[in-house]
Amino acid sequence: MPLSPSDRDLVVEELDREPTPAEETLFENLWSEHCAYRSSRPLLSAFDSEGPQVVIGPGDDAAVVALPDPETGDNSETYITMGIESHNHPSYVDPFDGAATGVGGIVRDTMSMGAYPIALADSLYFGDFEAEHSKYLFEGVVEGISHYGNCIGVPTVTGSVAFHDDYEGNPLVNVACIGLTNEERLVTAEAQTPGNKLVLVGNGTGRDGLGGASFASEDLGEDAETEDRPAVQVGDPYAEKRLIEANEELVDGNLIRAARDLGAAGLGGASSELVAKGDLGAHIELDRVHQREPNMNALEILLAESQERMCYEVRPEDVEAVEAIAEKYDLGCSVIGEVTEGNYVCTFEGETVVDVDAYYLAEGAPMNDLDHEEPDQPERDLPEIDIEAAFEAVVSSPNTASKTWVYRQYDHEVGTRTAMKPGDDAALMAIREVGADGSEGVGLGFSSGADPNWTDAAPYDGARAVALENATNLAAKGTAPLAAVDCLNGGNPEKDDVYGGFRGIVDGLADMCSELDVPVVGGNVSLYNDSPSGPIPPTPTLAMAGTKVGYEAPTTELDGEGELLVVGPERHELGGSELLAQFDGTDRFPEPPANAKELVATIADVANDEATLSTHDVSHGGLAVALAEMVGEAGAEIELDGDASPPELLFSEGVGRVVVETTDPEAVRERFDGVAPVEQLGEATGTGRLELTVGEEKLDYAAADIAALRDVIKSGLE
């Protein structure tokens, strides 16, 4: 995607001359949608990103948030970093390497802040599961994530998988990472002092990933899998692991003044953005860059997106120590230049190939003012439903089915922090560094995902539901939401209806996070997820973290000794539900509740009560799927009645509801008095069966039968 004539005119005016080929290509990449957010930045001010817990908000490689002290609730000296990244186009062209390098990139963003990566979450979106090409992409992406994550020793602890026809020509791979650091170790991507050296550490630079930022800023073509292969990076997780450990030593030794991961636009992007943030410049000798391919030219060295590389600002007196640590970990190391007070200048073979103002290069792209079309919600037009057929179809849908096949490929226990394993509402990590010696420490909850059925049906309310569902996931495990990062995925923004849907998910996510008092501290935008198959549904992946005292939490699986209640607002609309995805029909999407913050806090309070035996949020697939997922060795005897029809009672996906197994139902009712309704469902049993009566309809399934229905992903890939 060459620099547009209007953009080129602006560059010529700024430089007062014609740009060199290297300058023109650098502007093309750094002014692309992928890097400059030209169509989305005007919308992002809708997000609240401040709060007493926020140490560093949007704009750096990752956000930094202070964890609460478990005894006082005040900010502790222990910080987490939060970041999220998309690798959508690369994962279509090469699912293994595209997904793997997405993991590598977000881990290096974490390292850039002086943090050690402790947890990953992946949210994945594919076309119809029955399509062979979707299965090929799905298997390749999961293999790429598991291979890279397992090799570097960072556990993948949570995430989501969704299937929707409109991802057929453009899957989404969104990966989030949490790191651990403290005030003394904190590093930023802002250059500090002229005269400091710029040091490149990591793998040698090759020709892979050339033009990756530009490639990610245009629609995928029919021949993308062959023609765009050079734009996809190739990962080396073993080099990444060595880089992680070397980075730890550099941070511990106070040898880094600023850091930037080499991602989009390669060395040119990382080094120019590093000095631009400090309102400084640089002089870089491209000949000094260590390379793994012969005869590379200036453009290739500047823009290749070869992986496992970091750019550090280092004091001159510390360079020798940095070189020694790089050698210890068998990593390449090049002193490529220095920070200056002038322009961003690059030379190659004695010739100046780039001489531009760094801030103009990094921040000067003009924003787009695009037309949009407001989406409408459909009227109610429901099909005739046989309850037994509907139950089996919804429970066995790939969207609601067991994801065990996915997360069993990930090493979720490496690092010994995982207190609650994948497959529950949220992961729970043990952060023992917080609090005095002998204290319980802090449990860190982690949830990530979105539902394309919701945001396809109603972008604004669907995105509000995505935010509330992630918060409810955390609350169901007893954690209070702390902060979030988002990955906003959309189609071609130049299409009015597509941009209207994208604006809807931005506003919906921002409004609900504000209602929850959860700052959105960072994120990523991925547009032009469009192909000959059409645009993707607007998809607002949210990764949210929460905290609690200690690491104990109720699980999803029934205990068998308590009464069963459902707490939260009753909703009967079926818009965006898996039921209508399976049986067609239309309806309005259920509007999320108005008192979301109070509701979430009360859910967390109940989850932490000693009388609570198990909890599970009601969302994808409605109450039917929630109950099916809870049955194991223990069963449930349930009776539903009311003014609504059986399909509405079982399959509405109104969010903010949780099934609670408790030995003290009256205490639950007291806590929710004035907050939300509490309905009696029945009781847990020792039968291992789900016995469900809905009006005059009766369903009875053994746990083994439910497990067989929910095993569709594993069986469908054999």
Side-chain angles (χ1 to χ4, degrees):
M1 181 183 287
L3 200 62
S4 70
S6 60
D7 285 351
R8 195 178 192 280
D9 289 344
L10 290 174
V11 171
V12 170
E13 182 180 352
E14 170 71 17
L15 299 180
D16 198 25
R17 58 174 171 80
E18 290 291 310
T20 67
E23 289 170 338
E24 184 160 353
T25 309
L26 202 52
F27 274 104
E28 170 200 328
N29 278 266
L30 286 175
W31 283 19
S32 67
E33 185 68 51
H34 185 72
C35 289
Y37 291 4
R38 299 175 63 163
S39 301
S40 60
R41 187 177 292 185
L43 308 178
L44 300 182
S45 61
F47 288 103
D48 292 330
S49 57
E50 297 181 350
Q53 71 274 46
V54 180
V55 179
I56 295 177
D60 224 305
D61 274 0
V64 181
V65 180
L67 294 179
D69 186 287
E71 295 180 356
T72 67
D74 298 331
N75 286 348
S76 73
E77 296 178 355
T78 301
Y79 299 161
I80 59 167
T81 61
M82 298 181 69
I84 193 167
E85 179 172 293
S86 62
H87 242 223
N88 302 335
H89 283 28
S91 297
Y92 177 80
V93 174
D94 181 342
F96 180 89
D97 279 319
T101 52
V103 173
I106 196 61
V107 166
R108 290 192 302 279
D109 284 344
T110 301
M111 294 158 51
S112 296
M113 309 305 295
Y116 195 88
I118 63 168
L120 291 163
D122 55 72
S123 292
L124 314 176
Y125 308 85
F126 302 95
D128 180 8
F129 179 71
E130 296 302 322
E132 288 303 315
H133 192 249
S134 295
K135 291 180 181 179
Y136 156 74
L137 293 172
F138 179 36
E139 290 182 291
V141 163
V142 171
E143 185 182 1
I145 291 170
S146 65
H147 174 69
Y148 205 100
N150 293 353
C151 288
I152 64 175
V154 181
T156 301
V157 298
T158 190
S160 62
V161 180
F163 300 91
H164 188 289
D165 290 350
D166 291 343
Y167 297 119
E168 180 61 37
N170 198 132
L172 304 182
V173 175
N174 297 171
V175 184
C177 185
I178 286 179
L180 195 62
T181 188
N182 58 44
E183 185 176 4
E184 293 180 357
R185 293 169 49 87
L186 196 58
V187 178
T188 71
E190 181 177 327
Q192 302 294 309
T193 307
N196 282 346
K197 301 299 181 181
L198 293 175
V199 182
L200 186 64
V201 175
N203 267 347
T205 298
R207 291 184 171 89
D208 55 317
L210 277 168
S214 181
F215 158 62
S217 302
E218 58 188 358
D219 295 349
L220 285 170
E222 291 183 354
D223 57 357
E225 289 176 285
T226 53
E227 294 300 313
D228 292 322
R229 184 63 187 82
V232 179
Q233 309 92 332
V234 178
D236 178 355
Y238 302 105
E240 179 98 347
K241 177 60 176 174
R242 299 196 306 275
L243 188 57
I244 291 171
E245 301 307 325
N247 190 77
E248 275 293 285
E249 283 203 31
L250 294 171
V251 172
D252 285 341
N254 194 30
L255 299 174
I256 301 171
R257 307 274 67 77
R260 194 99 197 189
D261 151 52
L262 270 69
L267 174 62
S271 57
S272 63
E273 290 170 349
L274 183 80
V275 296
K277 283 182 70 70
D279 198 22
L280 294 167
H283 184 273
I284 294 174
E285 297 178 61
L286 297 175
D287 315 70
R288 289 176 168 268
V289 173
H290 56 282
Q291 301 160 40
R292 68 169 189 264
E293 295 188 38
N295 305 317
M296 293 185 70
N297 61 37
L299 249 178
E300 293 170 332
I301 296 169
L302 259 179
L303 290 169
E305 296 181 9
S306 303
Q307 298 292 285
E308 295 85 40
R309 299 181 299 162
M310 298 285 288
C311 182
Y312 296 121
E313 179 191 3
V314 178
R315 290 173 299 207
E317 61 267 29
D318 292 331
V319 167
E320 192 172 317
V322 171
E323 290 174 328
I325 290 172
E327 184 178 3
K328 173 183 175 181
Y329 287 97
D330 194 22
L331 295 167
C333 182
S334 306
V335 181
I336 60 172
E338 67 179 25
V339 179
T340 70
E341 292 183 331
N343 273 357
Y344 177 74
V345 177
C346 299
T347 62
F348 182 68
E349 296 180 346
E351 178 186 351
T352 298
V353 294
V354 175
D355 186 353
V356 300
D357 179 80
Y359 188 85
Y360 186 72
L361 176 62
E363 300 291 339
M367 297 296 104
N368 294 333
D369 183 12
L370 301 175
D371 293 329
H372 70 281
E373 181 181 306
E374 293 286 348
D376 294 322
Q377 285 214 43
E379 297 299 320
R380 170 169 276 211
D381 182 14
L382 301 181
E384 291 292 326
I385 297 292
D386 175 82
I387 290 299
E388 183 175 355
F391 179 89
E392 294 187 4
V394 171
V395 169
S396 66
S397 164
N399 280 327
T400 59
S402 170
K403 305 303 187 295
T404 303
W405 179 86
V406 178
Y407 61 72
R408 280 198 175 165
Q409 298 187 53
Y410 305 150
D411 187 345
H412 52 264
E413 294 184 327
V414 63
T416 68
R417 291 186 182 273
T418 310
M420 181 159 283
K421 300 174 183 178
D424 216 300
D425 290 334
L428 192 61
M429 310 292 291
I431 310 298
R432 305 178 186 88
E433 290 81 356
V434 186
D437 291 343
S439 74
E440 291 186 81
V442 165
L444 181 68
F446 194 15
S447 173
S448 176
D451 190 320
N453 286 338
W454 297 354
T455 45
D456 194 24
Y460 177 77
D461 274 336
R464 290 179 67 213
V466 166
L468 180 53
E469 194 228 347
N470 276 282
T472 306
N473 282 339
L474 294 172
K477 303 300 116 177
T479 64
L482 180 72
V485 290
D486 59 29
C487 191
L488 303 168
N489 305 271
N492 186 331
E494 297 163 48
K495 299 176 181 178
D496 293 1
D497 59 335
V498 170
Y499 196 53
F502 182 77
R503 288 172 63 104
I505 63 170
V506 172
D507 289 343
L509 210 61
D511 286 352
M512 180 54 78
C513 287
S514 294
E515 290 174 39
L516 292 165
D517 198 21
V518 175
V520 179
V521 293
N524 173 268
V525 177
S526 175
L527 294 174
Y528 292 95
N529 291 292
D530 219 316
S531 73
S533 301
I536 64 161
T539 310
T541 300
L542 192 70
M544 189 180 289
T547 59
K548 65 179 298 178
V549 176
Y551 328 125
E552 299 294 325
T555 64
T556 287
E557 189 168 334
L558 292 170
D559 178 87
E561 298 295 328
E563 293 189 35
L564 295 176
L565 310 174
V566 61
V567 302
E570 188 176 340
R571 292 288 185 266
H572 298 147
E573 299 91 345
L574 290 165
S577 67
E578 188 60 34
L579 178 75
L580 295 191
Q582 293 291 322
F583 291 91
D584 296 325
T586 58
D587 198 2
R588 294 187 65 82
F589 185 78
E591 184 178 354
N595 62 335
K597 181 180 179 181
E598 185 181 19
L599 175 64
V600 166
T602 309
I603 291 169
D605 183 35
V606 167
N608 285 321
D609 191 282
E610 61 181 13
T612 299
L613 304 179
S614 65
T615 53
H616 189 24
D617 88 303
V618 179
S619 54
H620 318 290
L623 187 58
V625 169
L627 292 169
E629 290 175 333
M630 297 181 81
V631 170
E633 291 185 13
E637 188 173 327
I638 305 294
E639 185 169 347
L640 302 178
D641 53 27
D643 297 332
S645 68
E648 292 169 333
L649 291 170
L650 282 176
F651 302 112
S652 175
E653 298 186 13
V655 294
R657 295 183 294 162
V658 172
V659 176
V660 177
E661 181 188 7
T662 177
T663 58
D664 191 353
E666 285 308 312
V668 176
R669 291 187 177 92
E670 288 176 10
R671 283 187 171 91
F672 276 92
D673 185 29
V675 177
V678 176
E679 295 182 33
Q680 182 83 27
L681 292 178
E683 60 183 21
T685 68
T687 64
R689 305 186 70 85
L690 176 58
E691 300 168 85
L692 184 57
T693 301
V694 192
E696 297 181 358
E697 305 278 355
K698 294 184 183 296
L699 300 174
D700 188 349
Y701 291 89
D705 296 329
I706 292 174
L709 288 171
R710 301 190 67 242
D711 199 36
V712 64
I713 289 179
K714 180 181 177 182
S715 62
L717 294 174
E718 290 178 345

